Every structure is written in structure tokens, then in C-alpha cells.
Amino acid sequence: MKPPISRFPVPALDSLPDDVRRKMLEVQEKAGFIPNVFLTLAHRPDEFRAFVAYHDALLLRESGLSKGEKEMIIVATSGANRCLYCVVAHGAILRVYEKQPLLADQIAVNYLKADITPRQKAMLAFAMKVCTDSAAVGEADFAALREHGFSEEDAWDIAAITALFGLSNRMANVTSMRPNDEFYLMGRVPKAKT
Amino acid sequence: MKPPISRFPVPALDSLPDDVRRKMLEVQEKAGFIPNVFLTLAHRPDEFRAFVAYHDALLLRESGLSKGEKEMIIVATSGANRCLYCVVAHGAILRVYEKQPLLADQIAVNYLKADITPRQKAMLAFAMKVCTDSAAVGEADFAALREHGFSEEDAWDIAAITALFGLSNRMANVTSMRPNDEFYLMGRVPKAKT
Amino acid sequence: MKPPISRFPVPALDSLPDDVRRKMLEVQEKAGFIPNVFLTLAHRPDEFRAFVAYHDALLLRESGLSKGEKEMIIVATSGANRCLYCVVAHGAILRVYEKQPLLADQIAVNYLKADITPRQKAMLAFAMKVCTDSAAVGEADFAALREHGFSEEDAWDIAAITALFGLSNRMANVTSMRPNDEFYLMGRVPKAKT
Amino acid sequence: MKPPISRFPVPALDSLPDDVRRKMLEVQEKAGFIPNVFLTLAHRPDEFRAFVAYHDALLLRESGLSKGEKEMIIVATSGANRCLYCVVAHGAILRVYEKQPLLADQIAVNYLKADITPRQKAMLAFAMKVCTDSAAVGEADFAALREHGFSEEDAWDIAAITALFGLSNRMANVTSMRPNDEFYLMGRVPKAKT
Amino acid sequence: MKPPISRFPVPALDSLPDDVRRKMLEVQEKAGFIPNVFLTLAHRPDEFRAFVAYHDALLLRESGLSKGEKEMIIVATSGANRCLYCVVAHGAILRVYEKQPLLADQIAVNYLKADITPRQKAMLAFAMKVCTDSAAVGEADFAALREHGFSEEDAWDIAAITALFGLSNRMANVTSMRPNDEFYLMGRVPKAKT
Amino acid sequence: MKPPISRFPVPALDSLPDDVRRKMLEVQEKAGFIPNVFLTLAHRPDEFRAFVAYHDALLLRESGLSKGEKEMIIVATSGANRCLYCVVAHGAILRVYEKQPLLADQIAVNYLKADITPRQKAMLAFAMKVCTDSAAVGEADFAALREHGFSEEDAWDIAAITALFGLSNRMANVTSMRPNDEFYLMGRVPKAKT
């Protein structure tokens, strides 16, 4: 028997408010399945809506960071927070975006050993400091980003993505949110139609 | 000269989308001033809306926790994250709600020495673990809450408030968000009409 | 009912040796009340005398540090040691000396965000390293002080004040020493005659 | 261009002493490729031989731990030491032994959320303490193992495997040892002939 | 050439105030040499007097702790603070008091492996918590002491000795105070007349 | 009664395989006694052989590090891992090799205060980083070694010795391996014929 998706009740799709259910079906159509984070957070529709709005505001936004780079931030900081759900689910998305099957595992364990550019390492160094010691972030950290061509708005993006997924990591850890099995293999096999 | 509210640009009220400006004016009417967190986050209206929605979903929600208890969680965990803005602003709100002028300073420094109930200490112990080591939260932590009469939904509230203000703490630290001067004294003087 | 001042017995004034009682009455005359640290430590008159002597040797001494700067050191390191008594009591004294009602709360939470000079931040960086990792203090730390014009004697002052209040923080934490209510408001209201 | 296997020189197979080369060819025959740990450590044949001898003494030994359980220990503690090589290579071996494609990722991130038995969680709790704070290991830790049926010899096995791979993690981190690409996918796809 | 005793000026004996010099000569008569802590701290006679007064108040006091047990506390906590002077000097005194040449090295490295009683281990557990995390000391820690027959006054002694030598450790680390060569061998050789 | 050498069974010499026993007698002839690490690890002859082979490969090897410098690495990192056996036993060997009776105690507590060269401090800084945070070791750490004339092979030596004794520290801590009494005094008294 499969372990539960969440230690909290998981709502049946047809018990959900229309907008929440619609969002789920949209994602399902695109991904082929409903990621468990949607099912877990939908236990509280208002919080669900706020989370999705925050998520979209940051991840769909035009930015100096590529979509793949945003996922790198999520994977690296979720590794630091030891959040199984986000490492596995966003690791999958990172592989798909970057078309590099090895990248997510590298970044989740130690981004310093990953096949990424020095600029991306600087981005992740900033993200990791925001994640683990934000009170010490200061002018020198912004200067290090600037040396690699990041703007102030990019710094905001890095910080805000780290902060939002810090929230998500804590909720996933507390709810024992379970990654969908599908994520583990996504983007690993060249011809997989994920 | 006063230091800036944020290291990022702070939008003029009349440059803001209507709904964002309206929210600000509402708060201003109620509090007598616009808390700088609104001005700082409004630099990005979509993220502003998501933050406010998340905030209201958690803090205005009926719950097994009182409004004052929710603020205790924010003050204790913001102390752990060394976030000046949230310690000062939510410390003020906590004093006002609880009508106890000493409480916020006690909880910000060390909740174990605060004038609160054993039940409230258990609540803050759970919050602090979610804040600093969420990956280790487990059955024993939920059991400790239950012994003090907290439900599973209360546990979600404690975790989610901690997680949301962990996000807020990181943004405030990275932006060097400055607490409004008004907060420092609010709720400290018995007859103050704050 | 008010919680006790200390978990240990608190001596009645008239049971104390003359010199100890005299010291108390002196402070009471000046401050309007007897700070609880005096009442708590007087449980052991010999240790009381040594503590007061050490305190006076460092705090009344002519120095390259102003009286307000010495209190900044106490507030910042007591924050790091999470000592409620010293954050509240010396926070009050700091406000009174510097006539800046916001300063103590800023420094207690995160001195990097406080309204102080770069020289004062260098002073507090040295103090925090002595407080949390003194074994690693070395030539580079003294050099950083010198760049801001601090002498070797000033470095001794910073270290010794940090060290003495590290002692005091530990005794206050172990005895659950309670700050007098009066301290919380001292120096916050412009016209208060504190 | 592929990044190098190691920051140190990697010997050509035919430059190696006979016994070392033979060992490599043996492994290659079995696995289909030579794991980079062999090539990296063979830079120093004497250390190579000692490492292989230690490895075989612990991993080929009859024990109260299954072969899969031994790999769980390696994956969990290598995650704690943030060793990319061992997480990826032993994660692969764990998947193959246990025929559970999800297990290695779960254990590398947070064994508390993995699909393993309470007995296996107790085993990993002991391993993690040996890994991160061995000086504090004491009678209570052995007692916790005994409650799950582990013998003293099993405790030695858990400790020694943790200790040996702590050595291996440090060498892999210092040499920037690169996992073979083959490991990332091994044991993930049901029909894969790994 | 011998490295200096202290990075700060060391006063000549005949330049010192009478009472300070007398104290030094007294110790010299008893120990055969002047411990460098006296020479280092005498750079500031008022602080010297306060330190000696505090030291004597705690170490010469009748107590539920033996003289050897007080030294155990100093050695264990000075090890945690990585203070070379206090580990070496008080290690010597501990060997002399307890007539156990192995004890000091054991306690400095890991008191859990030392040849001491369970009661002494409980005493050192309390001291180590006061040393490294005094803000978390609470009722359960006092209860653990009581189980081994320690009174509240004994708890004060343990805490105060830990706190005073925490001060001393920080001053020794910052001044690079050098232990006298004599201490290293004292109490190690059965018939040595140290 | 003496405490046991190990919490695991210690084999009688004549129950051991010939090669293992021979190794013991060899060491006994040279040192005058059998170090307890041999007796403890011989509980598992195969692991014993591998450990001795690894040890000899690293410590008997020609290297840019002197024999005394290799022992400095062992003593410093064993201090960080709080391993009583290795601090005491290798402290003894270090004293003998370097003919400096004070050195081992200095390095075990805080190598920054030891009577060693800047080059040796750089060597120990690298070793300590490998010991406590190997995942963060990078180009800058190798560059710091090069500035002091260390080659890449020397860096391997430092890392490998640190890694091997990290293994040894963990086994000694878990087995409560007891240092032979003889070690404590070795090399301390000028004329001792150790």
C-alpha cells in the first residue's frame, strides 16, 4: 500500500471550489498528473490560491534568470532544507527545462560540484545565504552578484524564489508531503516523452 | 536624514495599481500610517497581492489560536531569523492584542522566559522547530502539541504562519526593510491610543 | 501574581552586609528602583562584590569607547546569548545614554541593520566574534579594528565587556533573572524623566 | 567537453600494477564500466589497495544487515557529508539491490521520509550520529539499536561503514571526484538491464 | 626565543600596585612561579582585583563540590571554548588535586570518556549546557542535577564557575595568553615535587 | 579496576591469525607495549589489516610533509572530532617526533595558538576544513596551500590523513577505545627513553 500524500486530509477533486479544481485540471492536462503539492495545499483553498499566485508571480515573470536557473535555486535551497518533495519535483522540472539529466542530482547534493557556469554558482551562493543566514546578507553579497552581471531585480528574484520555497519546504516537511512517483524519472531518459 | 525604507525602489502611492493603493489606504486609515512592508513589497504588485492574500488567509482565519498567539509565533520565529522589521512591527501588534507591554520583548529574546502559559510555550517550541529544522519535525512533535489540546489544524496554522513569516523575514533581511518608527512605542504605554 | 525575580532566594535588604546594602540604596536613589541583577546576585555577597567591581572597572573607566558604545556591546552580545535580562536592562541604559529610542531594539536583533556608524559596526563585529568564537580571534580581527581607529586598549575594552556580560548572561539565564518592568519603557518616550 | 574525473592525475590502465589493473577489469566486467572512484584512488596504488580491502571487509561480510541496508547507510551519511560521488554511485547500487527505484533519492535527502521500516530508521539514526557527532555516541544509542534487534556486531558494522564512507566522502569532495554518468539512471527504469 | 605571554603589555612586578604585587608573590611562593594569567590581567589592576576576588569567592568557598570537581568544570568548559591557557593550567591543578595523572586530558577532550563518576558526568553535562546554550537551561536540567544529589546551591556553583571561566577563556583567547611551561608536566609524574 | 580497552571483545593474542599477531608483537617490541587501537581493531582481522595497510601507506610514505607534520594533522583533527584515543596516542608520537613536549597539547586545543610555523598553520587550516566541511573545499583552499609551497600531492596527503583518522576517530568514539596509560607521559620528560 502506498503511503499517503500528506499527513493532513487530501480533498477530493469534486469537493473543491471551482477555481481551485480548474487549476488542478489545467496542470493535470499539461503534466499528465496532478503534483501532490496541489492536492496537499488545497486542503486550505485560500492558502492554495495565495501560494499559486506567489509561485506564478515569481516563476512566470520575465527575468534576468532563465526558467532553468530559477529551478536551480529551488533545488539547491530545498536540498539545504532537506525537503524531499521539492528536491524531487523541482529536480524533475529542472531536468526537463535544461535537458541535462544529471544536473538536478548534482545541485541537490552540492552545487559547487555541478556542471553549471561560474555565474550560476554565484547565483546559488547568494540563494544559499538567503536560505541559511539571511540576517547576514549585505552589500558584499550584492556586489558579488553584480560582478556576474546580475541586476538588483535579479537579486530580488533570487531572494524571493528562495524565500517562497523556504515556505514550501517547511510545509512539505511538516505535512510529510510525498512526491509523485512520476517525478523521480522525468527528464532522465533522453526519449521519455515527459 | 532618515535611512531608506528598502534598498529597492519604493513606489509612489499614485503610481500603484488601484487595488494595491486601496489596500494601502485601508491600512493607513486603520493604523494611522502605512507599514513599510506594504511599501517595500509593492515594488512588485503581483507578489504584493500574493503576500497579502497569504497573510490574510492565515491571520484572519478562525483558528484554535488566538490573534495574540499567532503574533507570538511571528515574533519568536522572526527573532530566530534575526529579522528587525518583523520583530518590531509584529512585536507592536502583539502588545496591542494581548495588552501586555512586556510580552513582545520577552518572546523576541527567549520565549522560555516569557510570561506565557505552558500551552503557549509548547506552541512556540513547535514553531521554532519548523523555523530552524523542519526536516526533523515528526510524530513526537505533533504529540507534544496534542498534549496541550492543539488539533491537527492548529498544527497546520502554527507551521504555516512560521513558514510565511520565514519568507517575510528573508525578504525583509535582503531588502533591509526598515520598521516604521511608530511601531517601536506602540502598545507600550498604557494610555496610548494605538 | 508577578513571577519571581530569580529562581534562587532573594535576600531582604536588611539581611545584607552593610556595604552591599549601601550599594543597593545608592543605585536605587539614582535609578528610582533596584535593578534585579543586584538583588539576584546579592544572594552571594562575595560574588556580588566581585561582579560590581569588575563592572565598574570596565564601565566607569576612561576609554576610546563612549558610554553608549559600551552599552551597544552589551546589548548586541546579550542578544546573541539570548539573555532577556541584559537585553532589556542594558537596552534601556543604551537608549538613555544615546538619546535614540530605536537603537537598542535594532542592535538586539541585528546590529547590521542598526542606525550606527561603520566604526560602531566594526566594534560590534569584533565583540560578536569574541562572544561566539573567541578561539578564532586573530591578527586580522585586530587589524579590522585599527582601520577604524581603535587602539589595542580599545580592543581589550571590547573583549572584556563582552566577556563580563557573557558571564552575566549565563547567570541571568540560569537564575531566570527577571528584568524590572521599569526598564522596558525607559528612554523610549522623549519627555519621560527616566 | 566532459569535466575531468578527478582534480588529480588519473592513471592509464596499462600504467597500473597488475593487481590494481586486474581489480579494475573485474569490476568493469561486472558493471559494464569502471567506477571513477577506482580510477581516482588508483593514483596511489597502496591507498587504493587498502581502501578496496576495507570496503570488501565491510561490504562482503556476512552481517545482520542486508546488502541493501549497508547501502542505505552509505547514501544517508554521504548525503549528510554532501558527497556527490557517493550519493550518486551508492544510490544506484541501493536501487539495484532493493529493486526500489525511489529509495535512494528519499534517503539522500531525508531518511525520515523514506519508504523504509522503523528498524531501518533506527539503523540510520545511529549512523547519522556516528557521522556527525561520534563523540556523543553512548549507551542510549546502543540501547536504541537493541530495541530493534540489532546486535553489538551490527552496531560495529553500522559505525564502520559510516566511518569508511566518511573517509571516502572527504576524498571525493577534495578530489572533486565525478560520478560516472551511468550511475544516475541505474536501477531507475524497471526493465533496464543494469 | 620564547613567544610572549600576552599580546598586550605585561607589567614589571615593581611597577604594580602593592596589593597586586603582593598577591603575585604569594602565588609564586606557593606554586614556584607566577602563572601567566596573573601577569596578563595585571595590565589592568582594577580588573585584576575583580577577577581574583571572583575567582576566590567561587573556588575557595565551601561547597557541595570538591576542589577537584570545580577544576573538572573549568577544564571541560575551557576545552569547549578551546582556551589553551585554561585547559593547560587548570588541567595541571586538576591532576594535583585529584592525584590522577590521566584525568585532565580525558576531560579536556571528551568528559564522557573520562574516569569519573556518573554524578560528575551529570555535573559536567550541566556545565557544558551553561557554557554553550545557557538560554535553554531549564527545570529539567536542575532536576537531572537533583537526581545525583546536587542542591540548588551546587547548581549555582557549577553555573558560576562555568560563567567566570567563560570570561577567562575569552580574555585568554583574545590576549593569546600563553600557559607557563611548568603547567604542562605538573601532576603527571608520580614523584614529581610539583 | 581499570576500565576496559573497548566496549567490544578484545581478542587474546594467541587467538589471532599469525600475521595479525606478528604485527602486534612487532609494535610491542618497538614501543614497549601494544597500543590499544591494535587490540581493539583486531576484533575484526580483515578490517585490522586494511586499517594498518592504509595507515602505513600514508604515514610511511615519502612526502612533502615531515613525520611530525603528519602527526600534527592527526592531533588537530582528532581534537575537532573529540577523539580521546587519537589525541592522546598521536599527541605522544608527535612529542617524540618533534622533541617538543608542549606541542601536542597546544595543537589539540587550538592550533592557532601553537608554536608552529605559518606554513604548518596553513596545513592545519586545510586539514580542519577537510575534517569539518569537506564539501566546501575548493580552488581557494588549494591556492592557500600553494602559497606556502605545498604541492598537489601534499594536499592529497593532508586530505587523506585527515580522512583516515576521521575514520579512526569515529571507531574509537563508538568503541570507547581507551588510550594506553603509557601514552599520556611519553615525550613529556626530556630524559624519558620513549
Coordinates of all heavy atoms in Angstrom, one line a residue, chain B residues 102-157:
Chain B
L102 N 5.0 44.0 28.0 CA 6.4 43.4 28.2 C 6.6 42.2 27.3 O 7.7 41.7 27.1 CB 6.6 42.9 29.6 CG 6.2 44.0 30.7 CD1 6.7 43.4 32.1 CD2 6.9 45.3 30.5
L103 N 5.4 41.6 26.8 CA 5.5 40.3 26.2 C 6.3 40.2 24.9 O 7.1 39.2 24.8 CB 4.0 39.9 25.8 CG 3.7 38.5 25.8 CD1 4.1 37.8 27.1 CD2 2.2 38.3 25.6
A104 N 6.3 41.2 24.1 CA 6.9 41.1 22.8 C 8.5 41.0 23.0 O 9.2 40.2 22.3 CB 6.6 42.2 21.9
D105 N 9.0 41.8 23.9 CA 10.4 41.8 24.1 C 10.9 40.5 24.7 O 11.9 39.9 24.3 CB 10.9 43.0 25.0 CG 10.6 44.3 24.4 OD1 10.5 44.4 23.2 OD2 10.6 45.3 25.2
Q106 N 10.1 40.0 25.6 CA 10.4 38.7 26.2 C 10.4 37.6 25.1 O 11.4 36.8 25.1 CB 9.3 38.3 27.2 CG 9.3 39.2 28.4 CD 8.1 39.0 29.3 OE1 7.2 38.3 29.0 NE2 8.2 39.6 30.5
I107 N 9.4 37.5 24.3 CA 9.4 36.4 23.3 C 10.4 36.6 22.2 O 11.0 35.6 21.7 CB 7.9 36.4 22.7 CG1 7.0 35.9 23.7 CG2 7.9 35.5 21.4 CD1 5.5 35.8 23.3
A108 N 10.7 37.8 21.8 CA 11.7 38.0 20.8 C 13.1 37.5 21.3 O 13.9 37.0 20.5 CB 11.8 39.5 20.4
V109 N 13.4 37.7 22.5 CA 14.7 37.3 23.0 C 14.8 35.8 23.4 O 15.7 35.1 23.0 CB 15.2 38.1 24.3 CG1 16.5 37.7 24.8 CG2 15.2 39.6 23.9
N110 N 13.8 35.3 24.2 CA 13.8 33.9 24.6 C 12.4 33.6 25.2 O 12.1 33.9 26.4 CB 14.9 33.7 25.7 CG 15.0 32.3 26.1 OD1 14.3 31.4 25.6 ND2 16.0 32.0 27.0
Y111 N 11.6 32.9 24.4 CA 10.3 32.7 24.8 C 10.2 31.8 26.0 O 9.2 31.8 26.7 CB 9.5 32.0 23.6 CG 9.8 30.6 23.4 CD1 9.0 29.6 24.0 CD2 10.8 30.2 22.5 CE1 9.3 28.2 23.8 CE2 11.1 28.8 22.3 CZ 10.3 27.9 23.0 OH 10.6 26.5 22.8
L112 N 11.2 31.1 26.3 CA 11.2 30.2 27.5 C 11.1 31.1 28.8 O 10.8 30.6 29.9 CB 12.5 29.4 27.6 CG 12.6 28.3 26.5 CD1 14.0 27.7 26.4 CD2 11.5 27.2 26.6
K113 N 11.5 32.3 28.7 CA 11.4 33.2 29.9 C 10.2 34.2 29.8 O 10.2 35.1 30.6 CB 12.7 34.1 30.0 CG 14.0 33.3 29.9 CD 14.3 32.4 31.1 CE 15.7 31.8 31.0 NZ 15.9 30.7 32.0
A114 N 9.3 34.0 28.9 CA 8.2 34.9 28.7 C 7.1 34.6 29.7 O 6.9 33.4 30.1 CB 7.8 34.9 27.3
D115 N 6.2 35.6 29.9 CA 5.1 35.4 30.8 C 3.9 34.9 30.0 O 2.9 35.5 29.7 CB 4.6 36.8 31.3 CG 5.7 37.4 32.2 OD1 6.5 36.6 32.8 OD2 5.8 38.7 32.4
I116 N 4.1 33.6 29.6 CA 3.0 32.9 28.8 C 2.7 31.6 29.4 O 3.4 31.1 30.3 CB 3.5 32.7 27.3 CG1 4.8 32.0 27.2 CG2 3.6 34.1 26.6 CD1 5.3 31.7 25.8
T117 N 1.7 30.9 28.9 CA 1.3 29.6 29.5 C 2.1 28.5 29.0 O 2.7 28.6 27.9 CB -0.2 29.3 29.1 OG1 -0.3 29.2 27.7 CG2 -1.1 30.5 29.6
P118 N 2.1 27.4 29.7 CA 2.8 26.2 29.2 C 2.3 25.8 27.8 O 3.1 25.3 26.9 CB 2.5 25.1 30.2 CG 2.2 25.9 31.5 CD 1.6 27.2 31.1
R119 N 1.0 25.9 27.6 CA 0.4 25.6 26.2 C 1.1 26.5 25.2 O 1.4 26.1 24.1 CB -1.1 25.9 26.3 CG -1.8 25.5 25.0 CD -3.3 25.8 25.2 NE -4.1 25.6 24.0 CZ -4.2 26.5 23.0 NH1 -3.6 27.7 23.1 NH2 -4.9 26.2 21.9
Q120 N 1.2 27.8 25.5 CA 1.8 28.7 24.5 C 3.3 28.4 24.3 O 3.9 28.6 23.2 CB 1.6 30.2 25.0 CG 0.2 30.6 24.8 CD -0.2 31.8 25.6 OE1 0.5 32.3 26.5 NE2 -1.3 32.4 25.2
K121 N 4.0 27.9 25.4 CA 5.4 27.5 25.2 C 5.5 26.3 24.3 O 6.4 26.2 23.4 CB 6.0 27.2 26.5 CG 6.3 28.5 27.3 CD 7.2 28.4 28.5 CE 7.3 29.7 29.3 NZ 8.0 29.6 30.6
A122 N 4.5 25.4 24.4 CA 4.5 24.2 23.5 C 4.3 24.6 22.1 O 4.9 24.1 21.1 CB 3.4 23.2 23.9
M123 N 3.4 25.6 21.9 CA 3.1 26.1 20.6 C 4.4 26.7 20.0 O 4.7 26.5 18.8 CB 2.0 27.2 20.7 CG 1.7 28.0 19.4 SD 0.5 29.4 19.7 CE 1.7 30.6 20.4
L124 N 5.1 27.5 20.8 CA 6.3 28.1 20.3 C 7.5 27.1 20.1 O 8.3 27.3 19.1 CB 6.7 29.3 21.2 CG 5.7 30.5 21.2 CD1 6.2 31.5 22.2 CD2 5.5 31.0 19.8
A125 N 7.5 26.1 20.9 CA 8.5 25.1 20.6 C 8.3 24.4 19.3 O 9.3 24.2 18.5 CB 8.5 24.0 21.7
F126 N 7.1 24.1 18.9 CA 6.8 23.6 17.6 C 7.2 24.6 16.5 O 7.8 24.2 15.5 CB 5.3 23.2 17.5 CG 4.9 22.4 16.3 CD1 5.0 21.1 16.3 CD2 4.4 23.1 15.2 CE1 4.6 20.3 15.1 CE2 4.0 22.4 14.0 CZ 4.1 21.0 14.0
A127 N 6.8 25.8 16.7 CA 7.1 26.8 15.7 C 8.6 27.0 15.5 O 9.1 27.1 14.3 CB 6.5 28.2 16.1
M128 N 9.4 27.0 16.6 CA 10.8 27.1 16.5 C 11.4 26.0 15.7 O 12.4 26.1 15.0 CB 11.4 27.3 17.8 CG 11.0 28.6 18.5 SD 11.6 30.1 17.6 CE 12.9 30.6 18.7
K129 N 10.9 24.7 15.9 CA 11.5 23.6 15.2 C 11.1 23.7 13.7 O 12.0 23.4 12.9 CB 10.9 22.3 15.8 CG 11.7 21.1 15.3 CD 11.5 19.9 16.2 CE 12.2 18.6 15.6 NZ 12.0 17.5 16.5
V130 N 9.9 24.1 13.4 CA 9.6 24.3 12.0 C 10.5 25.4 11.4 O 11.0 25.3 10.2 CB 8.1 24.7 11.8 CG1 7.8 25.1 10.4 CG2 7.2 23.6 12.3
C131 N 10.8 26.4 12.2 CA 11.6 27.5 11.7 C 13.0 27.1 11.4 O 13.6 27.4 10.4 CB 11.6 28.6 12.7 SG 12.6 30.0 12.3
T132 N 13.6 26.3 12.3 CA 15.1 26.1 12.3 C 15.4 24.7 11.8 O 16.6 24.4 11.4 CB 15.7 26.3 13.6 OG1 15.2 25.4 14.6 CG2 15.5 27.7 14.1
D133 N 14.5 23.7 11.9 CA 14.9 22.3 11.5 C 13.7 21.5 11.1 O 13.4 20.4 11.6 CB 15.6 21.6 12.7 CG 16.3 20.3 12.3 OD1 16.5 20.1 11.1 OD2 16.6 19.5 13.2
S134 N 13.0 22.0 10.1 CA 11.7 21.4 9.7 C 11.8 20.0 9.2 O 10.9 19.2 9.4 CB 10.9 22.3 8.7 OG 11.6 22.2 7.4
A135 N 13.0 19.6 8.7 CA 13.2 18.3 8.2 C 13.1 17.2 9.3 O 12.8 16.1 9.1 CB 14.5 18.2 7.5
A136 N 13.3 17.7 10.6 CA 13.3 16.7 11.7 C 11.9 16.7 12.4 O 11.7 15.9 13.3 CB 14.4 17.1 12.7
V137 N 11.0 17.5 12.0 CA 9.6 17.5 12.6 C 9.0 16.2 12.4 O 9.0 15.6 11.2 CB 8.7 18.6 12.0 CG1 7.3 18.5 12.5 CG2 9.3 20.0 12.4
G138 N 8.5 15.6 13.4 CA 7.9 14.2 13.3 C 6.7 14.0 14.3 O 6.3 14.9 14.9
E139 N 6.3 12.8 14.3 CA 5.2 12.4 15.1 C 5.3 12.9 16.6 O 4.3 13.4 17.2 CB 5.1 10.8 15.1 CG 3.7 10.3 15.4 CD 2.6 11.1 14.6 OE1 2.6 11.1 13.4 OE2 1.7 11.7 15.3
A140 N 6.5 12.8 17.2 CA 6.6 13.3 18.6 C 6.3 14.7 18.7 O 5.8 15.2 19.8 CB 8.0 13.0 19.1
D141 N 6.6 15.5 17.7 CA 6.3 17.0 17.8 C 4.8 17.2 17.8 O 4.2 18.1 18.5 CB 7.0 17.7 16.7 CG 8.5 17.5 16.8 OD1 9.1 17.9 17.8 OD2 9.0 16.9 15.8
F142 N 4.1 16.5 16.9 CA 2.6 16.6 16.9 C 2.0 16.1 18.2 O 1.0 16.7 18.7 CB 2.0 15.8 15.7 CG 2.2 16.5 14.4 CD1 3.4 16.2 13.6 CD2 1.3 17.4 13.9 CE1 3.6 16.8 12.4 CE2 1.5 18.0 12.7 CZ 2.6 17.7 11.9
A143 N 2.6 15.0 18.8 CA 2.0 14.5 20.0 C 2.2 15.5 21.1 O 1.3 15.7 22.0 CB 2.8 13.2 20.4
A144 N 3.3 16.2 21.2 CA 3.5 17.3 22.2 C 2.5 18.4 22.1 O 2.0 18.9 23.1 CB 4.9 17.8 22.1
L145 N 2.1 18.7 20.9 CA 1.0 19.7 20.7 C -0.3 19.2 21.2 O -1.0 19.9 21.9 CB 0.9 20.1 19.2 CG 1.9 21.0 18.6 CD1 1.6 21.3 17.2 CD2 2.0 22.3 19.4
R146 N -0.6 17.9 20.8 CA -1.9 17.3 21.3 C -2.0 17.3 22.8 O -3.1 17.5 23.3 CB -2.0 15.9 20.7 CG -2.6 15.8 19.3 CD -3.1 14.4 19.0 NE -2.0 13.4 19.1 CZ -1.1 13.1 18.2 NH1 -1.2 13.7 17.0 NH2 -0.2 12.2 18.4
E147 N -0.9 17.1 23.5 CA -1.0 17.1 25.0 C -1.5 18.4 25.5 O -1.9 18.5 26.6 CB 0.4 16.8 25.5 CG 0.7 15.3 25.7 CD 2.1 15.1 26.2 OE1 2.6 15.9 27.1 OE2 2.8 14.2 25.7
H148 N -1.3 19.5 24.7 CA -1.8 20.8 25.2 C -3.1 21.2 24.5 O -3.5 22.3 24.5 CB -0.7 21.8 24.9 CG 0.5 21.7 25.9 ND1 0.5 22.2 27.1 CD2 1.6 21.0 25.8 CE1 1.6 21.9 27.7 NE2 2.3 21.2 26.9
G149 N -3.7 20.2 23.9 CA -5.0 20.4 23.3 C -5.1 21.0 21.9 O -6.1 21.4 21.4
F150 N -3.9 21.1 21.3 CA -3.9 21.6 19.9 C -4.3 20.5 18.9 O -3.9 19.3 19.1 CB -2.5 22.0 19.5 CG -2.0 23.3 20.2 CD1 -1.1 23.2 21.2 CD2 -2.5 24.5 19.8 CE1 -0.6 24.4 21.9 CE2 -2.0 25.7 20.4 CZ -1.1 25.6 21.5
S151 N -5.1 20.9 18.0 CA -5.6 20.0 16.9 C -4.6 19.9 15.8 O -3.7 20.7 15.7 CB -7.0 20.5 16.4 OG -6.7 21.7 15.7
E152 N -4.9 19.0 14.9 CA -4.0 19.0 13.6 C -4.1 20.3 12.9 O -3.2 20.8 12.3 CB -4.5 17.8 12.8 CG -4.1 16.4 13.3 CD -2.7 16.0 12.9 OE1 -2.3 15.9 11.7 OE2 -1.9 15.8 13.9
E153 N -5.3 20.8 12.8 CA -5.5 22.1 12.1 C -4.7 23.2 12.8 O -4.1 24.1 12.1 CB -7.0 22.5 12.0 CG -7.8 21.6 11.1 CD -7.2 21.5 9.7 OE1 -6.9 22.6 9.1 OE2 -7.0 20.4 9.2
D154 N -4.6 23.2 14.1 CA -3.8 24.2 14.8 C -2.3 24.0 14.4 O -1.6 25.0 14.3 CB -4.0 24.0 16.3 CG -5.4 24.3 16.8 OD1 -6.1 25.0 16.1 OD2 -5.8 23.8 17.9
A155 N -1.9 22.7 14.3 CA -0.5 22.5 13.9 C -0.2 23.1 12.6 O 0.8 23.7 12.3 CB -0.3 21.0 14.0
W156 N -1.2 22.9 11.7 CA -1.0 23.5 10.3 C -0.9 25.0 10.5 O 0.0 25.6 9.8 CB -2.2 23.1 9.4 CG -2.2 23.7 8.0 CD1 -2.2 25.0 7.7 CD2 -2.1 23.0 6.8 NE1 -2.2 25.2 6.3 CE2 -2.2 23.9 5.8 CE3 -2.1 21.6 6.5 CZ2 -2.1 23.6 4.4 CZ3 -2.1 21.3 5.1 CH2 -2.1 22.2 4.1
D157 N -1.8 25.6 11.3 CA -1.7 27.1 11.4 C -0.3 27.5 11.9 O 0.3 28.4 11.4 CB -2.7 27.5 12.5 CG -4.1 27.7 11.8 OD1 -4.2 27.9 10.6 OD2 -5.1 27.7 12.6

